[in-house]
Amino acid sequence: MRVSMTGWAHSRFGKMDGIDPEQMIGDVALQAIEHAGLEQSDIDSLHVGHYNGGFLYQDFPSSLLFNTMPALRFIPSVRLENACATGSAALHSALNAVSSGRSRYALVLGFEKMSELSTPEIGEVLLKCSYAREEAAVAGGFAGLFGNVIAKTYFDRYGDQSDALAMIAAKNHHNGLSNPYAHMRKDFGFDFCRTESEKNPFVAGPLKRTDCSLVSDGAAAVIICRDDDVRNSDNRVRFLATSQVNDYLPMSRRDPIAFEGATRAWQQALADSSLSLNELSFVETHDCFTIAELIEYEAMGLARPGEGARVILDGISARDGRLPVNPSGGLKSKGHPIGATGVSMHVMAAMQLSGQAGDMQLPVADRAGVFNMGGSAVANYVSILERA
């Protein structure tokens, strides 16, 4: 059975002081339904991705959408959570519902309102994505896991990667200029990203502020259905394969820079799609920190371990490179509202594949890979998509 995305919507990401979460999710849900050419009454299951963990007091969101969309009352709804891969967990729930025949039109909704808390409080909430028994005291909060542990280990083993990380940051910020939904549409350039300054201080280990994704509010939504049930043929983006691979939660039980779960997820999805990485037009990958994108180059098979830097240094992952990575600007520029991120990445890919990406549109966009990661390469999701 072929399953497709057939409608999608995306809010602006950023610090949304005047936005109520119920309004935010109601807006994107309605837009996705209308984009699919459906009525609210056509939706027969709801799959909500919402990490929360303390960002909001309201921690039971599965029926929250009914307040603004009463036509959905009485349909089954479930809330999914898998750290920073929460959005993809919700998407997989919808895919399973449609593939099993239990749902005809499944609505996937991912959202987060992070900016209600102070920066230190946000860091404490995000640390809940780590193994608390061993990692809760890591200096620098969740950024400390990627800076003081992952980046430091990588630098110690393979040498200073500061040039490559600055190039990744500069690439993604440049790409984000063309994304109307991005939190930060500003081209910082390599020199600013490479140089420590008052506006770009070190945050954790070798990671500077420009190496870290943004604290964002936002929402995204997609409609999942069988290929035969697509109403609007212009909005048909087909899933060729999906995979989910989870690894140990404690970093002490694995090589923290190997990203073995991510590697297995990519290998499984590519094998199931009968495609090679070279047959993809672009990739949206989880650059919560620039060091993550660097290691993900290796996990997806663009480079051998320790050689990820050559992918960015040689221009392979540039917008005009052999395999553009994060043409949307990625989490680095677009923002990272935890529960929305996985859904957002699929929306960005669907826009490209359907020729609806506007100024972001790539010259060639036939097939795409999406990689969404929860925690420090703990929950790993890959989707292989094609324009139908």
Side-chain angles (χ1 to χ4, degrees):
M1 178 189 301
R2 292 187 177 271
V3 180
S4 294
M5 287 184 282
T6 184
W8 46 84
H10 201 291
S11 78
R12 175 76 186 271
F13 283 3
K15 191 174 186 296
M16 307 300 187
D17 293 329
I19 292 288
D20 180 272
E22 291 186 41
Q23 177 189 342
M24 187 167 63
I25 64 176
D27 289 347
V28 294
L30 181 59
Q31 291 165 18
I33 292 169
E34 292 176 346
H35 188 238
L38 300 175
E39 303 293 332
Q40 294 180 32
S41 57
D42 291 318
I43 303 301
D44 55 14
S45 69
L46 176 59
H47 309 259
V48 181
H50 183 45
Y51 170 70
N52 201 2
F55 290 129
L56 296 175
Y57 182 80
Q58 178 63 58
D59 199 25
F60 179 33
S62 59
S63 291
L64 202 59
L65 184 61
F66 299 174
N67 293 350
T68 53
M69 205 170 283
L72 301 186
R73 187 186 181 196
F74 300 128
I75 69 169
S77 179
V78 62
R79 178 262 191 97
L80 287 302
E81 184 277 314
N82 215 353
C84 303
T86 285
S88 289
L91 192 85
H92 274 230
S93 174
L95 287 168
N96 291 337
V98 171
S99 297
S100 69
R102 295 182 63 86
S103 180
R104 187 181 184 193
Y105 293 107
L107 171 59
V108 182
L109 179 64
F111 78 101
E112 212 70 64
K113 187 79 167 66
M114 302 174 69
S115 66
E116 299 290 312
L117 303 182
S118 67
T119 299
E121 289 173 320
I122 291 168
E124 289 299 312
V125 171
L126 292 177
L127 259 178
K128 296 177 183 179
C129 294
S130 68
Y131 185 52
R133 185 174 296 178
E134 296 179 1
E135 298 162 9
V138 170
F142 194 66
L145 294 178
F146 278 84
N148 295 317
V149 180
I150 294 174
K152 186 178 184 303
T153 301
Y154 196 100
F155 279 42
D156 288 346
R157 189 177 303 175
Y158 298 120
D160 192 315
Q161 308 292 317
S162 298
D163 284 352
L165 298 190
M167 288 186 71
I168 290 171
K171 167 183 71 73
N172 290 346
H173 276 293
H174 180 74
N175 289 348
L177 285 174
S178 302
N179 187 345
Y181 306 101
H183 184 156
M184 185 172 289
R185 301 176 70 187
K186 186 172 183 179
D187 190 358
F188 288 103
F190 170 79
D191 289 341
F192 180 85
C193 296
R194 179 65 177 85
T195 307
E196 180 192 9
S197 66
E198 183 180 347
K199 293 185 177 181
N200 191 30
F202 282 103
V203 174
L207 300 184
K208 295 183 284 294
R209 183 175 290 165
T210 50
D211 294 305
C212 307
S213 59
L214 301 157
V215 172
S216 309
D217 307 326
V222 299
I223 307 294
I224 304 292
C225 70
R226 294 181 302 172
D227 235 18
D228 294 343
D229 289 328
V230 171
R231 297 270 180 89
N232 185 346
S233 59
D234 292 333
N235 302 338
R236 190 198 307 264
V237 173
R238 184 177 295 139
F239 287 88
L240 294 180
T242 60
S243 64
Q244 179 191 352
V245 175
N246 273 55
D247 203 348
Y248 286 125
L249 183 58
M251 286 196 290
S252 63
R253 299 198 63 174
R254 51 193 167 90
D255 184 341
I257 65 172
F259 283 23
E260 293 169 86
T263 301
R264 287 172 176 264
W266 269 106
Q267 291 172 344
Q268 180 180 322
L270 288 170
D272 290 348
S273 68
S274 299
L275 295 174
S276 70
L277 197 66
N278 290 332
E279 293 176 276
L280 301 183
S281 305
F282 67 95
V283 167
E284 288 287 337
T285 201
H286 192 98
D287 60 320
C288 50
F289 301 92
T290 53
I291 186 65
E293 179 168 327
L294 182 75
I295 299 174
E296 286 159 20
Y297 293 156
E298 300 168 10
M300 69 178 77
L302 277 176
R304 291 180 296 189
E307 298 181 2
R310 73 170 182 81
V311 176
I312 185 69
L313 297 175
D314 293 346
I316 294 170
S317 58
R319 178 180 169 82
D320 58 354
R322 176 163 59 85
L323 183 65
V325 176
N326 287 333
S328 69
L331 284 58
K332 185 68 207 68
S333 173
K334 177 163 55 73
H336 185 21
I338 307 299
T341 291
V343 184
S344 165
M345 297 171 84
H346 284 82
V347 171
M348 293 293 117
M351 288 178 173
Q352 288 283 357
L353 294 171
S354 62
Q356 299 176 31
D359 291 341
M360 292 184 288
Q361 189 66 52
L362 294 168
V364 177
D366 299 320
R367 299 187 183 96
V370 175
F371 173 71
N372 184 204
M373 176 175 77
S376 54
V378 176
N380 304 278
Y381 292 82
V382 173
S383 296
I384 306 297
L385 308 167
E386 75 169 355
R387 178 175 58 197

